[in-house]
Amino acid sequence: MGDLFQKFLNKVSRGYGQVDKNVFGGLLPGGAATPIGAAFQRSGIPKEQQPSAFDRRKASLIDAAATGISKAQPFVEKTIQSAPPTVQQNISRGLNALPFSANLFGRYYTGIGPVGLEIPEALTNEANRVISKPGYQQKLLNASREEEKSLSTILNSPHASGMNTPEMRKFVNDALAETRSRIKRMETGDVPYTPYSSSAETNPLTSPSTSFGNVWFSPDKQGYTANEKYDFVYGAADSKVPMVQLPGGIAPLDPSQEAALTSATGMRMPNGSVPPPSAHPLTFFGRSIVMKMPDKSFTYPINIR
C-alpha cells in the first residue's frame, strides 16, 4: 500500500498538468480553482510564503481522493453489515493478511471492528521487549515525578513566562493533570508502552507507532494484557472544527485539507533525516480520510505471553 501511494504521488508529480485537465477540466491554473488553492488565494499570505502551485495541485488531488474514499465509507459499511457471516469472516481474514496498521485501519473504515482480528507476534514481542527491560517501569515513574514537580513549579510561579495568560495556564494545568494521572496509574502496577521513540521501524504500515500507539499494559500471571482502543483524537475532525480564517493571514483550511497538504509537501525533518512513521506522507493521507469520515473506533484485546 505504501508503494502504491508513492506511485500515485510520483504520477501526480510527473504529469500533474494533464491530470488537472482530465480531472478538473483545466480549471487549475496556479491551483487557485481548487479548495486548497482558493483558500491560500483568499488568505493574504505573501505568495513567496505559500506552498508552490505545484504542491497545492498535488494536495488538492490527495484531498479529492480522501474525500471520495470517506464518502464511500457508509456504503461500504452497510454492504458488509448486510452480507452473510461467511462473507464478513472472509473479509476479516483478508484484512489479517495486510500489514497490521492497514489491517486496523481497514477494520475502522469498514466497521468490522475487532471481529477475527489477529495481531502479529512480532509486534507483541517488540512491546514485551521494551516493557520487560529491567528498571523500565521505575525509570518512567521517576521521570514522571520530576515532570510533575517542574509543572507544579511553573504553575505556581506568577512570574513564569506566559503564566499571566489564561490559555498558557490552562495548557500547563492540563499537562499537570495528565502527568498526575499517569503517575497514579503506574503506581497501581500498570505499564505504559510508547513506541514512538523505542521502535526503529520506519514503515508506516508495519510500525507499532501507527498501529498500537500508546498502550497501557496490566501484568498478569502469564505476562501482560491490554484492552486497547483503536481511535484517533482527530477522528471526524472536519465536523468538529469549523473552517475559519485565523489571525496572521493563515489560510482557512479544514483539518483534512491541512493533512492532505502535509501529505503532498512532506514534513521537513532536522538534518534531512527520514520522517518517523507518524509523519510519513501515507500516514497524513490516512489522517485526511479519518478527519472527513464518521468516528468508527473500536476496542480490541492485546495479550503478551
Side-chain angles (χ1 to χ4, degrees):
M1 187 178 293
D3 290 340
L4 288 175
F5 184 70
Q6 191 58 53
K7 288 178 182 177
F8 167 71
L9 289 181
N10 291 341
K11 182 177 180 181
V12 173
S13 299
R14 288 194 304 269
Y16 66 85
Q18 191 61 35
V19 171
D20 286 350
K21 184 176 180 181
N22 291 342
V23 177
F24 297 101
L27 296 176
L28 301 181
T34 68
I36 291 177
F40 277 101
Q41 192 175 60
R42 295 191 304 267
S43 68
I45 300 174
K47 191 172 182 179
E48 63 274 10
Q49 296 178 18
Q50 297 184 22
S52 67
F54 169 74
D55 283 337
R56 295 201 302 270
R57 289 190 187 99
K58 190 160 64 170
S60 294
L61 288 171
I62 293 171
D63 180 57
T67 297
I69 293 170
S70 65
K71 284 185 176 180
Q73 190 279 329
F75 172 77
V76 171
E77 182 177 5
K78 184 177 180 180
T79 301
I80 292 174
Q81 286 181 343
S82 60
T86 54
V87 173
Q88 296 182 23
Q89 291 167 7
N90 287 334
I91 292 173
S92 179
R93 280 194 289 268
L95 290 171
N96 283 331
L98 299 175
F100 192 56
S101 292
N103 183 358
L104 287 177
F105 184 83
R107 293 169 181 278
Y108 182 94
Y109 180 80
T110 60
I112 286 181
V115 177
L117 173 65
E118 296 177 1
I119 303 175
E121 189 176 351
L123 282 175
T124 54
N125 286 345
E126 170 63 14
N128 188 37
R129 181 190 68 80
V130 172
I131 64 178
S132 297
K133 289 179 180 178
Y136 171 81
Q137 169 83 331
Q138 191 60 49
K139 183 179 179 181
L140 288 180
L141 184 56
N142 291 343
S144 294
R145 286 169 174 163
E146 287 299 316
E147 182 181 341
E148 180 190 24
K149 290 179 183 178
S150 298
L151 290 171
S152 295
T153 300
I154 293 172
L155 196 61
N156 294 311
S157 298
H159 303 296
S161 177
M163 284 300 99
N164 59 335
T165 63
E167 295 82 4
M168 183 58 72
R169 288 192 64 84
K170 183 181 184 305
F171 176 82
V172 175
N173 194 58
D174 289 348
L176 179 60
E178 192 279 330
T179 300
R180 286 174 172 167
S181 175
R182 184 169 69 247
I183 291 171
K184 185 176 181 180
R185 186 160 184 179
M186 281 193 282
E187 288 176 340
T188 68
D190 285 354
V191 184
Y193 170 60
T194 303
Y196 298 98
S197 59
S198 62
S199 174
E201 177 62 72
T202 59
N203 186 339
L205 294 177
T206 54
S207 170
S209 66
T210 53
S211 54
F212 283 167
N214 293 322
V215 182
W216 281 97
F217 284 100
S218 299
D220 62 16
K221 293 180 179 180
Q222 296 176 296
Y224 297 92
T225 63
N227 200 30
E228 177 61 9
K229 186 176 184 180
Y230 184 76
D231 62 351
F232 302 90
V233 295
Y234 46 81
D238 280 5
S239 62
K240 300 174 184 176
V241 182
M243 185 173 66
V244 295
Q245 176 71 44
L246 300 176
I250 301 175
L253 299 178
D254 282 330
S256 64
Q257 292 173 336
E258 292 181 3
L261 182 61
T262 305
S263 179
T265 61
M267 289 191 69
R268 294 183 178 88
M269 305 302 294
N271 303 318
S273 57
V274 178
S278 59
H280 191 280
L282 180 59
T283 305
F284 276 100
F285 178 57
R287 286 185 181 128
S288 185
I289 296 171
V290 167
M291 289 172 174
K292 293 175 183 292
M293 62 176 276
D295 175 43
K296 294 296 173 179
S297 57
F298 61 90
T299 302
Y300 66 98
I302 305 174
N303 297 305
I304 295 179
R305 301 293 182 240

